[in-house]
Amino acid sequence: MKPSPIFLIGFMGAGKTTLGRALEARLPGWRYIDLDDEVERHAGMSVAKIFSVHGEGTFRKMEREALDEAARNESPVIIGCGGGTPCFFDNMDFMNSTGVTVLLEARSSTLLRRLLEAQAQRPKLNGFSPAEVEKFISDSLSERAAWYSKAARRFPSDRLETPAEIEVSCRLFIRKFINPNE
Ligand code: S3P
């Protein structure tokens, strides 16, 4: 029987894309689908451009369409959501009824460091000073807690900085969520 989709959720910088891509490389037959990449492919423009040209509302509709399509994929899939995906429409209930949601949890200091390194790709952080990014993280984590807390499972994601850490995290993830009997 085909395994149910695994949805990686969590804040920007939690490591969804890093972990998802590394898992795909280690799991024959599985595919990693990144919702931001799918939205960009369909729209023919970056997420940042979609936000600035069409606004967040349009982005959220496109994100939901990408979510529906990814969940219908014929392969076993790991789906990397955007940080905001669980917080719009009935996305969280949809994911919980279709597959297994796994919340990636990293410390705020880890999120801050990672987001300052890759701020330009995130329209929500546009023009923020480091102190403002820090405040945005703590405010948004409180706002989003109601949705994130509906995750079926949780996984610590601070250790994704080096190839060795990624290897250890993947092994742990696979043992917990993919092959619990091995
Ligand atoms: C967003 C997170 C981003 C992307 C968009 C909005 C958010 O994805 O979907 O910029 O609202 O948290 P990542 O979590 O992959 O950075």
Side-chain angles (χ1 to χ4, degrees):
M1 209 178 71
K2 194 188 106 179
S4 325
I6 294 179
F7 299 95
L8 301 182
I9 67 166
F11 204 70
M12 288 183 269
K16 302 175 296 282
T17 306
T18 303
L19 184 65
R21 290 195 179 134
L23 287 167
E24 180 184 49
R26 287 164 178 78
L27 289 168
W30 284 71
R31 276 198 59 200
Y32 172 67
I33 300 177
D34 189 283
L35 293 189
D36 282 344
D37 288 352
E38 289 305 295
V39 168
E40 291 187 342
R41 197 166 59 80
H42 282 290
M45 64 176 96
S46 68
V47 170
K49 192 95 196 271
I50 300 169
F51 266 71
S52 68
V53 175
H54 301 292
E56 180 168 355
T58 299
F59 171 76
R60 295 301 171 191
K61 285 189 204 136
M62 298 177 78
E63 180 180 55
R64 174 55 193 245
E65 281 164 22
L67 178 63
D68 283 329
E69 191 183 320
R72 284 195 303 266
N73 197 285
E74 287 183 358
S75 307
V77 277
I78 295 170
I79 298 169
C81 297
T85 311
C87 318
F88 290 83
F89 313 113
D90 64 344
N91 292 355
M92 199 61 203
D93 293 337
F94 169 74
M95 293 190 279
N96 276 329
S97 63
T98 320
V100 181
T101 49
V102 180
L103 176 65
L104 300 194
E105 294 183 297
R107 286 189 291 269
S108 296
S109 56
T110 305
L111 297 177
L112 179 63
R113 180 173 41 73
R114 290 180 185 161
L115 290 180
L116 292 178
E117 281 164 13
Q119 190 171 343
Q121 301 126 36
R122 264 90 177 202
K124 295 221 152 230
L125 307 178
N126 209 352
F128 283 5
S129 68
E132 287 166 335
V133 174
E134 191 170 10
K135 182 169 180 334
F136 176 82
I137 293 171
S138 77
D139 291 351
S140 308
L141 280 175
S142 313
E143 276 167 33
R144 291 182 170 181
W147 289 280
Y148 288 174
S149 66
K150 289 181 166 185
R153 310 290 300 270
R154 285 155 189 264
F155 186 76
S157 64
D158 286 291
R159 300 202 166 173
L160 291 170
E161 308 306 321
T162 61
E165 285 188 2
I166 292 174
E167 180 63 37
V168 173
S169 290
C170 281
R171 267 198 240 140
L172 195 63
F173 190 98
I174 291 169
R175 201 171 339 122
K176 272 182 101 154
F177 304 119
I178 310 230
N179 296 325
N181 301 323
E182 278 178 20

